[in-house]
Each structure stands twice: as structure tokens, then as C-alpha cells.
């Protein structure tokens, strides 16, 4: 049977616009014959049949669904009329986000919501409840870090749903670059939203007016039914029956849909769990991520993730979150322990120490990790210093015998191979060959190694403390926070403790060096801890100078760190003691070298009548002063040690001792017998005349000649060498130079006088002793003798002996001739005077003979007469009878002239101007 009715036609809809789930009334023609005839209803393409309620053929009520199209037709389909048409359209408005506490006249789909009230203590509302943009303008995320905002607004939040909302924070975070005009637009939007909220109740009633009417009608009908049922019947009241019906319906529904609803609830629960896992996957994955990043060493990533988790979930009350967060805290605690172990691990670089301290500071590690690191580094430095000493002590015990033998052999070879002037100064010259470091004494290498340990460790230790005090150790950017300020305050309170650490390190350095080089400056208890060195072979001045140089470099390096001077004073005191020790040791070793100078005397004289011994002595002293130049030099903060009275007195005493030792060497050389003289090293000057060469061959074997040489050397020492030494001593700050030279000259003069008297005695005694026997030879008698015919032989022999002494002295030193001959002639003149005075009487011839001989002797040695010898000759002449006749006087003159003529060649040597020194 064909359809008898026309297709449905929609001619009106009220309201003609609205949000999803808005209740609308549709009017038109041929809208169906009943509820069963209505088989389709779509608005804007969305099927609304489930909510449709057929009223009449011209009226249908339904709710608009969430259609995809914003605007569309209303199409009604009936069994009787088929697919209909529409002359009107409906506009679908975008729904506003409705909060769980907001009023609404339409049904709200709650499936898209997740109740976050269980996390309400965090002060953060669920994301689904947050308006996307409360200001209604474009969001422009700035570059202000979240951490900076948290520091600027403590205990505030940029979330506008939070109780601690800060508008300034929100604007800086989301609109830092927004223009002022845009902000004015935002103000206008906020005002609109405020005014719209004030209309809340009225809009609510207006939008749900039909719902109110329907509810009112339903309540009125229920009330009417209850009033009409005023009596109790067998089956009970209507309400009771209604309750029973509803309970049975509920039980039946539960029976029918229990399995389906159970699966639905389980699916919903799973879906919600997955939703939670997805939304909070950062927290749930955090323990595993922490483990992985720790293994890779990405501690910065771990710390950032931990800070984020702590700010989000640190105070959560949700059990699952608390459980996961506790696992995170366990991992972080393990990381704190790991970082602290790495921090306290030695050796470690300053960069790593700072890095680990910052990590621990960011992780809020308990205590003060930086101070723990400082304590650990302090103990490490002290242990390194002690280990250095113990290692060298062990090495010394193992190799002391072999090293001592090698050093003795090397020392012997050095002394043999070097020329005399340089050999003696070898102890003042630091060896320059490539292997000198390995030949240096244990103590020297120990001080160098110990200084390397201190210089390599203490600067980083000091820089770590400076970073600790100024706070840069905890923050690279220099930002200020409560924790950083608290740590800086702790650092300032520990300044005295750190000062004590630096003092302990410097004191340990000084005590270890003293134990190796200055054991006498330590107590017995300190020696047991810092001593143990082999001090049988004391260090030379050269090695001590090397040690002083090393300690000075260490002091300069520490001073460059701006360590306070009072902490370095112990090193300054050590340097002063080392300089004093070096000075006295060098003087002592020089004294030992000077003792050996006697072995180098070759008895070869130069044109000035001296050997090389004075020059060698002077060279030895100059080299000593040169070797002391560096130790005696006053660096910044040092004093001139010679200004110290005790040092000055000891140095003066030692210098005098050195010179006296040399004088003693001269004395020993003068007393050596012929068998004690080693002539294997003597050299012969091939350029000298043969005659002089023959003299030299026999020269060194005669003690008298050696006396002359030493006398000549003494004279040169007094006139030249000692004066030069005085000048050098003054240049090198020896303030007692004048005293040293004065005492030395006195000692030298005593030796000179002793040697001179010894030589004169040896030479004058034979001559004087030969006079009396010569006078009375052949039974000569002054009372009965022949007329004189000339000077007798004994006088000529005495003159020849004097001439031989002259030649011997002249060969050595022309300057000694007057001094020696004058003394010998005094002895001869005195003897002649005595002999003449002992004669009881003279005959005429005897008186003439005696006068002749006395005058001949006196005139021959006229250049060397002294007041004493002249007096002796005068007394001798006065003991003779006076010449009475002119004939006797004439005869005396003739005989004197004859004597002078016959011995002119021999007597010519007594004329100083007639001879020049022999050139050698």
C-alpha cells in the first residue's frame, strides 16, 4: 500500500542556535503519527533520535548532539512520510568548558574528565579544568627560566587556578613580549568575563526554563498521585509498591548488565590508569631514567629531573605517587653517596671537585660536602709529604753503600782531573752535566720532590677554599639563594680552621726539610718523626745553594696565590736557617780545601819571588764568596744574615780560621824535611837560562830556600792578597772584613818573624862562627905581627859567604835582600866588635891590621848597614889604638883601595842598582 501522508516538513526550531546538548523544540507538518512512526531525526548531521520525544504531528522535542558541522538542516524521517525536508537551519555553538562546580542547564559529558581532587594539596588544578587562555589574546611564551621565576616569587604560582596565583608571574611567563595594546584588549576581555559571570543565575534560569517547567509538571503529577492514594491497601501504599518495583527493576537490570557493566568498569579503570600513566609518565619513568643517566655520568640531567619531580610530587598524598617518589628519593640518596665518594677520592682535579660539590649542593646533600672535601684534601697533602720522605728513606737505606762508594770515586776522579785552581773550587760549583740530578744527594732530591708535591697540591687546595668562601663553588652563575648564603656563612666561620690547615702543611714542609738538612734544629721527638737521614756525609755548599733555590721557588709560588704572609713565615724562617747553614758549611768546607793547598806547592817562583800558592789561596777564597752570592742575596722578605750578631761572629771566626789554616800550611811547608817533599809534580821552566835551570834543579831540596820562598809568599800575602780579600769580603757584605784581615795579618806577621829569624840564624851562625878562628889562624897575635900587606883570607871568606846568601835571597826575591843581609851584617858587626874589645893590647902593626880589616868589611857592605851595625863597627874601631903617623894612614888607604880593586867583581853584588831580577 503506497504512503498516504506527505513527507515531513520542518518549518521552525526554537531556539535556532545553541551548544551541544541544548534542548530544542521542532515544529512543522507531517512529523509523524506517533512515537513509533518517528524513525529518524538529525540536526546538523548528528542523529538525535535517542533524545527525541514525539509530542504531536507538528511538534517534536529533542536535544542537539555534538555535531561536526557548525550549521545545518533539521531532517525528520517517518515510516508514513519517509525522508523529510527543512526550511530552517540550526546553528551549533562551540561549547564553553564547564567546571565540575559550574551551573549548567544541559547534560555534561563527564567521560573526558579526570578527578584530580586527590592531588589537591599540590595547589594545581587538572589540566582539563584550566581555561586555555583566560586573557583571550595570543600567548607569547617568554625566555624567562622557571627557576628564576620561582626565586623571584617564592611560595607563589603562575597557575591562575592556584590559591597562590601571581598575576605578575603569569604575565612574565606567557606575555613577556606582548604589546601594550594587546594587554588593553586582554583587560577588556576580562571585564566581559566578569560581567558574564555576574549574570550567571539569570542565564542559567533562562537557558533551562523548559526543563524547570517539565520538572514542575512531573513533581505536581507525583504529588497528585500521592494525595489520591490516601489509604493503605493490601499491597501497601503506592510509594511502597513503587519502591518495590524500582528495586526489582534494579535487580533485574543488575542481573542483565552486571557482566557488561563489570567489563565496562574494568575498561574504564584500565583506561583511567593508562591515562594516568601517560599523563605522569615522567614520574613513573624517573627511577629508571635516573639509573641510566647515573651510569652515563649525566648528573646534570638527573639533578634537573629530580628538581622537577620534587616540585611536582614532593608533597603529594596520592599513595602511588608517594611510592614512586620514595623510589626516586632512594636513587637520589645513592647518587649523593656516590658523588660524595667521588668528591673525597684522591687524587682529584680542582675541576672535578667543584663539579661534584655543585652536584651535591643541588641535591641538598646533608652536611657540608665542600668542607669535607677540604678536610680530605688536607689529609691527602700531608700523607703525600710523609710518603715522599719515607720513600727516600727506604731508597737511601738500600743504596747508601753503593752510592757512597760511587760518590767517593767520583770525587776522587774530579780532584785528579781538574787543574789546581779549578779543582779546589769544585765543591762550590753545581755539576752541570746531564746526569747531575741522578748523582745529587738524597736530601737534595727529597727537597725538590717535596716542593713539587706542595706546589702541585697546595694551589688547588687554596683555590678550592677561595671558591668555598666566595660562594662560586656552589653556583657557576653567581646567583644568590638561601642555601648558598648559608654555606658562605659556614665558610666564613671556618676561616680559623682552614688557616690551621695551611699552617700545618707549611709547618710539615719546614719540619721535613729541617729533618733532612737541619736535624739539630728539631727536638728529639720531632727527629723521630721527621728525621732518619744519613748525615755522615754533610752536604756541600753547592748542594745547599740548590736547596735554597728550590725552597725560594716554592715560597714564590705560594706567595703568588696571595696566601697571607703570616702563614708563610715558617718558610721564611727555614730559608734564613738554611742560608746561615750554607754560609757556615761553605766556610768549613773551604777550610778543608785550604788545608790541602800545601800538597799543591810546586816551589816554582815567578818574577816577583812568589809561588802559585798565594794565588791559589786567593782563588779559593774568591770562589767561596762567589758560591755564597746566591745564598747571601736578600730576596723580598729576607734579611741580610750577616746583620745577625751571632752569624756575624761565627762567620768572622770561621774566616779567620780559614786564613790561619793557610798560615799553618805555610808553617808546615817550612818545616818539611827533604824526604817529605814530593817533587813528582814539579815543573821546569824551559825558557829559563841553563844556569838558572841548574839552580832550580837543586833549589827545592834545600830547607833554607824553602824558607825564603815562604817568606816571600808571606810578604806578598800581607801586601796584596789580604788586601784583595778585604775588598772582596766587603763587596759580599762581610761587615767584619777589617777585623778578619787585621787578625790574619797579625798571625801572618808572627809566622813571618819566626821564619825570618830561623833563616837568619841558619845563615849568620856559620859566618859569625868562622870569624874568630879565621882571625887567629896560624897562631896570629895582635901584639906580635908583621906589617899588614892586605886583608887576610878569613875576612874574604866571610864576605864570600855573605855574597852567597845575597845570591840565594836574590834568586828568590830581590825585596828580601836588604832585610836578610842587614840582619846578618848586624850579627857579623856585633861579633867583630866583641872580638876587638876582647883584645887586651895591640902592637902598632896589629892595630893597623885590625883597622884595615874592620874598615874593609864595613866599606864592602856599606849599602846594608843599619844603625845597630854602624854602632858595632864604631865600637870595634874605638877599641883600637889611634893611628899616629901619616905614613900609617897612607898605608891604610892604599891597602883598602887594593882590597876594593881586587874584589870589585865580588863586591859589586852589594850595589842594588847594578843587578836586575832574573827573568824566568
Amino acid at each position: 500500500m503506497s504512503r498516504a501522508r506527505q513527507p515531513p516538513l520542518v518549518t521552525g526550531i526554537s531556539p535556532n542556535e545553541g551548544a551541544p546538548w541544548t534542548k530544542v523544540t521542532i515544529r512543522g507538518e507531517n512529523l509523524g503519527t506517533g512515537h513509533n512512526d518517528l524513525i529518524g531525526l538529525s540536526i546538523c548531521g548528528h542523529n538525535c533520535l535517542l533524545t527525541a520525544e514525539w509530542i504531536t504531528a507538528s511538534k517534536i522535542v529533542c536535544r542537539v548532539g555534538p555535531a561536526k558541522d557548525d550549521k545545518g538542516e533539521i531532517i525528520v524521517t517517518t515510516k508514513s512520510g519517509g525522508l523529510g525536508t527543512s526550511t530552517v537551519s540550526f546553528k551549533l555553538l562551540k561549547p564553553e568548558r564547564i567546571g565540575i562546580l559550574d551551573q549548567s542547564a544541559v547534560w555534561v559529558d563527564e567521560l573526558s574528565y579526570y578527578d584530580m581532587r586527590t592531588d589537591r594539596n599540590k595547589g594545581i588544578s587538572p589540566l582539563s579544568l584550566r581555561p586555555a587562555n583566560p586573557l583571550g589574546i595570543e600567548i607569547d611564551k617568554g625566555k624567562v627560566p622557571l627557576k628564576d621565576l620561582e626565586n623571584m616569587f617564592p611560595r607563589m604560582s603562575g597557575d591562575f587556578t592556584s590559591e597562590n596565583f601571581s598575576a605578575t608571574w603569569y604575565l612574565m611567563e606567557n606575555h613577556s613580549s606582548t604589546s601594550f595594546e594587546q594587554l588593553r584588549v586582554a583587560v577588556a576581555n576580562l571585564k566581559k568575563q566578569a560581567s558574564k559571570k555576574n549574570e550567571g543565575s539569570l542565564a542559567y534560569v533562562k537557558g533551562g526554563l523548559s526543563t524547570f517547567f517539565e520538572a514542575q509538571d512531573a513533581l505536581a503529577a507525583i504529588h497528585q498521585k500521592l494525595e489520591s492514594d490516601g489509604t493503605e491497601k493490601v499491597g501497601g501504599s503506592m510509594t511502597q509498591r513503587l519502591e518495590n518495583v524500582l528495586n526489582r527493576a534494579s535487580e533485574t537490570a543488575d542481573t542483565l548488565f552486571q557482566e557488561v557493566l563489570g567489563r565496562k568498569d574494568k575498561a574504564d579503570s584500565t583506561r583511567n590508569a593508562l591515562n594516568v600513566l601517560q599523563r605522569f609518565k615522567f614520574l613513573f619513568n624517573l627511577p629508571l631514567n635516573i639509573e641510566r643517566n647515573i651510569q652515563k655520568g649525566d648528573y646534570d640531567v638527573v639533578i634537573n629531573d629530580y628538581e622537577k619531580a620534587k616540585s611536582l610530587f614532593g608533597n603529594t598524598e596520592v599513595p602511588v605517587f608517594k611510592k614512586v617518589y620514595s623510589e626516586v628519593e632512594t636513587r637520589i640518596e645513592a647518587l649523593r653517596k656516590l658523588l660524595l665518594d667521588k668528591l673525597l677520592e684522591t687524587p682529584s682535579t680542582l675541576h672535578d671537585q667543584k663539579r661534584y660539590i655543585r652536584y651535591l649542593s643541588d641535591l641538598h646533600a646533608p652536611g657540608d660536602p665542600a668542607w669535607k672535601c677540604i678536610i680530605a684534601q688536607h689529609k691527602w697533602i700531608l700523607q703525600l709529604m710523609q710518603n715522599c720522605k719515607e720513600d727516600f728513606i727506604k731508597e737511601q737505606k738500600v743504596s747508601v753503600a753503593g752510592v757512597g762508594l760511587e760518590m767517593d770515586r767520583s770525587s776522587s776522579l774530579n780532584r785528579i782531573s781538574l787543574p789546581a785552581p779549578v779543582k779546589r773550587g769544585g765543591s762550590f760549583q753545581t755539576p752541570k752535566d746531564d746526569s747531575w740530578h741522578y748523582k745529587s744527594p738524597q736530601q737534595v732530591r727529597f727537597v725538590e720532590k717535596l716542593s713539587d708535591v706542595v706546589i702541585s697540591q697546595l694551589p688547588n687546595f687554596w683555590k678550592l677554599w677561595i671558591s668555598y668562601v666566595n660562594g662560586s663553588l656552589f653556583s657557576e652563575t653567581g646567583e644568590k639563594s638561601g642555601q648558598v648564603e648559608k654555606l658562605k656563612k659556614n665558610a666564613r666561620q671556618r676561616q680559623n680552621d682552614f688557616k690551621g690547615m695551611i699552617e700545618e702543611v707549611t709547618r710539615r714542609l719546614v719540619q721535613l726539610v729541617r729533618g733532612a738538612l737541619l736535624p739539630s734544629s728539631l727536638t728529639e721527638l720531632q727527629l723521630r718523626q721527621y728525621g732518619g737521614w744519613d748525615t755522615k756525609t754533610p752536604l756541600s755548599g753547592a748542594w745547599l745553594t740548590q736547596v735554597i733555590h728550590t725552597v725560594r721557588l716554592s715560597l714564590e709560588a705560594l706567595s703568588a696565590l696571595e696566601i697571607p704572609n703570616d702563614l708563610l713565615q715558617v718558610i721564611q724562617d727555614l730559608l734564613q736557617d738554611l742560608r746561615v747553614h750554607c754560609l757556615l758549611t761553605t766556610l768549613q768546607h773551604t777550610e778543608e780545601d785550604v788545608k790541602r793547598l800545601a800538597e799543591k806547592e810546586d816551589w816554582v817562583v815567578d818574577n816577583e819571588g812568589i809561588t802559585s800558592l798565594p794565588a791559589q789561596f786567593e782563588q779559593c777564597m774568591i770562589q767561596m764568596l762567589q758560591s755564597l752570592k746566591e745564598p747571601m742575596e736578600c730576596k723580598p722578605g729576607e734579611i741580610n744574615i750577616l746583620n745577625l750578631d751571632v752569624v756575624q761572629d761565627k762567620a768572622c771566626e770561621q774566616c779567620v780560621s780559614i786564613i790561619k789554616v793557610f798560615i799553618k800550611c805555610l808553617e808546615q811547608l817550612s818545616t818539611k824535611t827533604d824526604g817529605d817533599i814530593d817533587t813528582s809534580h814539579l815543573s821546569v821552566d824551559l825558557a829559563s837560562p841553563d844556569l838558572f835551570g841548574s839552580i832550580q834543579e837543586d833549589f827545592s831540596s834545600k830547607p833554607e830556600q824553602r824558607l825564603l820562598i815562604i817568606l816571600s809568599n808571606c810578604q806578598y800575602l800581607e801586601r796584596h792578597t789580604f788586601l784583595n780579600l778585604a775588598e772582596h769580603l766587603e763587596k759580599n757584605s762581610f761587615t767584619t772584613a777589617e777585623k778578619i784581615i787585621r787578625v790574619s795579618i797579625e798571625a801572618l806577621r808572627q809566622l813571618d818573624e819566626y821564619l825570618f829569624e830561623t833563616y837568619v840564624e841558619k845563615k849568620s851562625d856559620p859566618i859569625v862562627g868562622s870569624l874568630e878562628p879565621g882571625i887567629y889562624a896560624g897562631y896570629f897575635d895582635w901584639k906580635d905581627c908583621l906589617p899588614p900587606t892586605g886583608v887576610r883570607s878569613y875576612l874574604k871568606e866571610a864576605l864570600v859567604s855573605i855574597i852567597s846568601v845575597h845570591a840565594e835571597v836574590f834568586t828568590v826575591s830581590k825585596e828580601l835582600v836588604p832585610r836578610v843581609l842587614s840582619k846578618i851584617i848586624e850579627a857579623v858587626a856585633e861579633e867583630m866588635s866583641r872580638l876587638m874589645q876582647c883584645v887586651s893590647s895591640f902592637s902598632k902593626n896589629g892595630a893597623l891590621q885590625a883597622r884595615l880589616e874592620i874598615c874593609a868589611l864595613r866599606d864592602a857592605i856599606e849599602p846594608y848597614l843599619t844603625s845597630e851595625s854602624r854602632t858595632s863597627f864604631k865600637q870595634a874601631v874605638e877599641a883600637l889604638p889611634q893611628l899616629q903617623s901619616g905614613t900609617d894612614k897612607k898605608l891604610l888607604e892604599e891597602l883598602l883601595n887594593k882590597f876594593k880593586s881586587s874584589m870589585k867583581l865580588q863586591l859589586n853584588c852589594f850595589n842594588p842598582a847594578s843587578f836586575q831580577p832574573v827573568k824566568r
Side-chain angles (χ1 to χ4, degrees):
M1 183 174 180
S2 61
R3 290 192 295 268
R5 299 186 64 85
Q6 295 294 325
L9 175 64
V10 178
T11 58
I13 185 171
S14 176
N16 61 1
E17 64 180 11
W21 309 113
T22 302
K23 190 174 183 179
V24 296
T25 302
I26 301 172
R27 300 185 184 277
E29 302 175 356
N30 303 320
L31 298 182
T33 59
H35 182 74
N36 294 330
D37 190 39
L38 184 63
I39 62 174
L41 175 59
S42 66
I43 300 177
C44 296
H46 185 270
N47 189 0
C48 301
L49 183 60
L50 291 177
T51 61
E53 182 183 357
W54 186 87
I55 305 300
T56 64
S58 59
K59 180 180 178 182
I60 297 175
V61 177
C62 71
R63 289 185 180 276
V64 180
K68 296 182 179 179
D69 300 330
D70 292 343
K71 191 174 183 181
E73 296 180 337
I74 300 93
I75 305 299
V76 178
T77 305
T78 63
K79 293 180 182 179
S80 59
L83 182 66
T85 58
S86 175
T87 61
V88 296
S89 62
F90 183 82
K91 183 178 181 181
L92 187 65
L93 302 177
K94 291 184 178 180
E96 293 184 1
R97 179 70 68 179
I98 300 174
I100 57 178
L101 301 178
D102 293 341
Q103 297 174 340
S104 175
V106 298
W107 182 260
V108 178
D109 184 9
E110 296 180 349
L111 294 177
S112 60
Y113 290 89
Y114 173 72
D115 189 0
M116 288 287 289
R117 287 177 296 171
T118 55
D119 204 17
R120 60 183 179 274
N121 290 338
K122 288 179 57 64
I124 302 177
S125 300
L127 294 176
S128 59
L129 302 181
R130 300 180 184 177
N133 187 0
L135 297 183
I137 59 176
E138 183 179 358
I139 293 178
D140 183 11
K141 289 285 185 179
K143 298 182 180 179
V144 182
L146 181 60
K147 196 170 184 180
D148 293 345
L149 291 172
E150 292 176 350
N151 292 333
M152 286 189 286
F153 304 101
R155 296 187 298 278
M156 302 299 288
S157 173
D159 185 357
F160 49 82
T161 63
S162 173
E163 295 179 358
N164 300 323
F165 172 68
S166 171
T168 308
W169 181 333
Y170 179 83
L171 290 175
M172 291 179 66
E173 182 180 8
N174 298 286
H175 298 287
S176 60
S177 302
T178 304
S179 65
F180 183 71
E181 291 299 327
Q182 286 291 317
L183 293 177
R184 294 181 66 178
V185 172
V187 172
N189 292 338
L190 287 175
K191 290 180 178 179
K192 289 180 182 179
Q193 293 180 21
S195 62
K196 184 176 180 181
K197 187 174 182 180
N198 293 333
E199 300 173 358
S201 299
L202 179 61
Y204 166 71
V205 173
K206 182 179 179 181
L209 189 59
S210 61
T211 304
F212 286 142
F213 289 155
E214 292 174 1
Q216 178 65 29
D217 292 342
L219 289 174
I222 293 172
H223 183 67
Q224 184 178 1
K225 286 289 185 181
L226 290 174
E227 286 182 345
S228 64
D229 186 26
T231 61
E232 293 291 334
K233 296 183 179 180
V234 179
S237 65
M238 184 185 70
T239 55
Q240 185 66 40
R241 293 198 306 273
L242 180 60
E243 181 182 1
N244 294 335
V245 170
L246 290 176
N247 287 335
R248 288 195 300 271
S250 175
E251 292 174 0
T252 304
D254 289 343
T255 303
L256 292 175
F257 297 100
Q258 185 173 10
E259 184 178 355
V260 176
L261 292 176
R263 288 198 300 270
K264 181 179 181 298
D265 291 341
K266 188 175 181 180
D268 291 344
S269 176
T270 304
R271 189 182 304 109
N272 287 336
L274 292 174
N275 190 22
V276 171
L277 289 174
Q278 179 64 25
R279 179 169 297 178
F280 300 103
K281 63 181 180 180
F282 163 73
L283 177 63
F284 293 110
N285 293 335
L286 188 56
L288 181 60
N289 290 336
I290 288 176
E291 287 290 341
R292 291 174 178 173
N293 289 325
I294 288 176
Q295 292 177 0
K296 292 190 294 184
D298 293 337
Y299 303 122
D300 290 309
V301 177
V302 175
I303 293 172
N304 291 335
D305 290 347
Y306 173 65
E307 288 291 338
K308 182 178 178 182
K310 187 175 181 180
S311 64
L312 294 175
F313 306 100
N315 298 320
T316 183
E317 295 296 333
V318 180
V320 66
F321 291 168
K322 291 178 68 175
K323 182 177 180 180
V324 177
Y325 185 74
S326 66
E327 185 65 25
V328 171
E329 284 289 358
T330 302
R331 298 286 198 283
I332 293 299
E333 184 61 33
L335 176 60
R336 291 191 187 106
K337 186 177 185 306
L338 173 65
L339 292 175
L340 185 60
D341 292 342
K342 286 182 175 290
L343 175 63
L344 302 182
E345 190 177 90
T346 51
S348 178
T349 63
L350 179 63
H351 173 74
D352 288 341
Q353 291 169 357
K354 288 184 175 181
R355 192 159 55 95
Y356 293 140
I357 290 172
R358 289 195 184 102
Y359 290 155
L360 289 168
S361 175
D362 292 340
L363 290 173
H364 307 285
D368 193 345
W371 182 247
K372 293 179 181 178
C373 178
I374 290 175
I375 293 175
Q377 285 298 306
H378 173 243
K379 293 180 179 178
W380 167 248
I381 293 173
L382 293 179
Q383 188 61 45
L384 281 180
M385 297 169 68
Q386 194 66 27
N387 291 345
C388 178
K389 178 245 181 183
E390 292 175 358
D391 291 343
F392 273 92
I393 291 292
K394 291 178 182 178
E395 180 183 345
Q396 176 182 261
K397 290 180 179 178
V398 172
S399 60
V400 63
V403 171
L405 181 61
E406 183 66 25
M407 290 180 66
D408 291 342
R409 186 183 307 165
S410 174
S411 177
S412 301
L413 290 174
N414 285 338
R415 292 192 177 278
I416 292 173
S417 60
L418 292 175
V422 181
K423 181 196 331 177
R424 183 177 50 263
S427 60
F428 306 116
Q429 302 296 326
T430 302
K432 299 297 183 182
D433 55 278
D434 295 337
S435 62
W436 76 269
H437 180 77
Y438 302 99
K439 295 179 181 179
S440 58
Q442 292 275 12
Q443 292 96 319
V444 177
R445 289 189 285 120
F446 163 68
V447 173
E448 291 176 350
K449 180 65 176 178
L450 185 64
S451 298
D452 289 341
V453 168
V454 174
I455 295 306
S456 63
Q457 297 296 328
L458 201 57
N460 288 340
F461 184 59
W462 178 260
K463 292 175 183 176
L464 181 65
W465 164 255
I466 295 299
S467 302
Y468 179 52
V469 172
N470 60 28
S472 63
L473 195 60
F474 312 104
S475 173
E476 293 182 348
T477 59
E479 60 181 348
K480 294 183 178 179
S481 66
Q483 184 186 10
V484 172
E485 291 300 319
K486 181 180 178 181
L487 292 172
K488 288 170 64 176
K489 182 179 179 181
N490 291 341
R492 288 191 291 269
Q493 292 175 348
R494 288 172 170 149
Q495 284 184 349
N496 290 334
D497 295 336
F498 182 78
K499 182 178 179 181
M501 291 181 181
I502 295 293
E503 286 179 345
E504 187 173 2
V505 171
T506 54
R507 186 170 61 251
R508 180 69 59 86
L509 168 67
V510 168
Q511 288 172 337
L512 287 171
V513 174
R514 288 183 181 275
L517 302 175
L518 302 171
S520 60
S521 63
L522 298 178
T523 64
E524 187 174 341
L525 179 62
Q526 291 173 334
L527 272 178
R528 282 198 293 269
Q529 184 177 1
Y530 306 112
W533 294 89
D534 178 21
T535 56
K536 294 179 181 178
T537 306
L539 293 181
S540 65
W543 292 123
L544 288 173
T545 300
Q546 180 70 17
V547 169
I548 292 171
H549 179 73
T550 301
V551 177
R552 277 175 169 168
L553 290 179
S554 302
L555 181 61
E556 290 175 6
L558 297 179
S559 299
L561 297 175
E562 298 182 357
I563 297 178
N565 290 332
D566 58 331
L567 299 180
L568 303 177
Q569 186 58 43
V570 289
I571 303 181
Q572 287 282 16
D573 296 340
L574 171 65
L575 270 175
Q576 178 176 312
D577 292 347
L578 284 174
R579 292 167 64 206
V580 173
H581 182 59
C582 179
L583 169 64
L584 300 180
T585 300
T586 301
L587 292 174
Q588 183 179 354
H589 288 181
T590 302
E591 181 177 337
E592 295 172 0
D593 287 343
V594 168
K595 285 181 182 179
R596 292 187 286 270
L597 287 181
E599 303 170 4
K600 302 167 187 176
E601 177 59 272
D602 54 10
W603 303 106
V604 177
V605 297
D606 60 9
N607 292 332
E608 296 181 4
I610 60 174
T611 63
S612 62
L613 204 59
Q616 290 183 30
F617 171 70
E618 183 177 354
Q619 182 68 14
C620 182
M621 296 294 289
I622 291 174
Q623 287 179 349
M624 175 199 73
L625 294 174
Q626 288 176 346
S627 69
L628 288 173
K629 190 170 184 180
E630 182 176 352
M632 299 288 289
E633 184 182 3
C634 294
K635 297 291 184 179
E638 298 179 356
I639 63 172
N640 185 354
I641 57 176
L642 288 176
N643 289 339
L644 302 174
D645 294 339
V646 176
V647 178
Q648 186 181 93
D649 294 342
K650 288 184 178 179
C652 176
E653 180 181 346
Q654 195 69 42
C655 287
V656 171
S657 178
I658 292 173
I659 299 177
K660 286 187 175 180
V661 164
F662 180 64
I663 295 173
K664 185 68 175 177
C665 289
L666 296 177
E667 183 179 358
Q668 291 173 352
L669 286 172
S670 69
T671 59
K672 280 189 176 182
T673 62
D674 294 346
D676 296 333
I677 302 299
D678 181 11
T679 59
S680 60
H681 64 284
L682 298 180
S683 60
V684 177
D685 194 342
L686 299 179
S688 301
D690 292 342
L691 178 60
F692 181 73
S694 64
I695 293 175
Q696 283 297 115
E697 289 177 3
D698 189 53
F699 195 69
S700 63
S701 62
K702 296 181 179 180
E704 294 84 356
Q705 282 85 349
R706 293 199 294 272
L707 283 174
L708 283 175
I709 293 174
I710 295 173
L711 280 171
S712 179
N713 286 341
C714 290
Q715 187 172 282
Y716 183 83
L717 286 169
E718 180 178 351
R719 296 179 181 178
H720 299 90
T721 304
F722 283 2
L723 297 180
N724 293 340
L725 285 181
E727 183 179 349
H728 286 294
L729 288 171
E730 289 176 355
K731 285 182 179 179
N732 287 273
S733 304
F734 280 80
T735 54
T736 57
E738 186 271 335
K739 178 181 178 182
I740 294 171
I741 299 303
R742 185 183 73 251
V743 175
S744 301
I745 288 178
E746 290 176 359
L748 181 67
R749 286 176 177 174
Q750 291 178 1
L751 175 63
D752 177 84
E753 190 65 28
Y754 167 74
L755 296 179
F756 178 75
E757 291 177 357
T758 301
Y759 180 78
V760 170
E761 184 179 350
K762 286 185 177 183
K763 290 300 180 181
S764 62
D765 284 356
I767 299 174
V768 171
S770 66
L771 289 178
E772 186 173 359
I775 290 175
Y776 295 104
Y779 302 102
F780 180 82
D781 187 0
W782 295 109
K783 298 177 183 179
D784 183 15
C785 60
L786 298 173
T789 57
V791 176
R792 289 184 292 171
S793 299
Y794 80 93
L795 189 60
K796 294 179 179 179
E797 291 174 359
L799 287 173
V800 170
S801 296
I802 295 173
I803 290 172
S804 66
V805 173
H806 180 282
E808 185 178 81
V809 176
F810 190 87
T811 303
V812 175
S813 174
K814 177 183 176 181
E815 295 180 355
L816 282 176
V817 172
R819 182 184 177 193
V820 173
L821 289 188
S822 298
K823 201 69 176 178
I824 293 176
I825 290 171
E826 285 181 2
V828 172
E830 183 181 358
E831 180 65 13
M832 289 296 291
S833 175
R834 184 187 69 80
L835 291 174
M836 293 300 106
Q837 291 177 4
C838 290
V839 178
S840 58
S841 62
F842 292 88
S843 64
K844 177 183 177 183
N845 292 334
L848 186 59
Q849 184 70 44
R851 189 178 294 274
L852 171 63
E853 291 173 353
I854 291 174
C855 291
L857 178 60
R858 184 189 61 190
D859 294 345
I861 57 177
E862 173 66 26
Y864 302 104
L865 292 179
T866 63
S867 58
E868 288 81 0
S869 57
R870 291 180 187 277
T871 302
S872 297
F873 278 119
K874 182 179 179 182
Q875 291 174 352
V877 172
E878 290 176 350
L880 301 177
Q882 296 293 327
L883 295 178
Q884 300 298 328
S885 62
T887 305
D888 293 339
K889 293 180 180 179
K890 184 177 181 181
L891 178 61
L892 177 62
E893 185 176 352
E894 290 177 355
L895 292 174
L896 282 173
N897 291 333
K898 178 182 177 182
F899 167 76
K900 292 177 182 179
S901 176
S902 63
M903 294 193 67
K904 181 178 180 181
L905 179 61
Q906 288 83 353
L907 298 180
N908 200 32
C909 69
F910 294 130
N911 184 5
S914 63
F915 279 84
Q916 295 298 327
V918 178
K919 293 185 180 180
R920 303 179 179 85

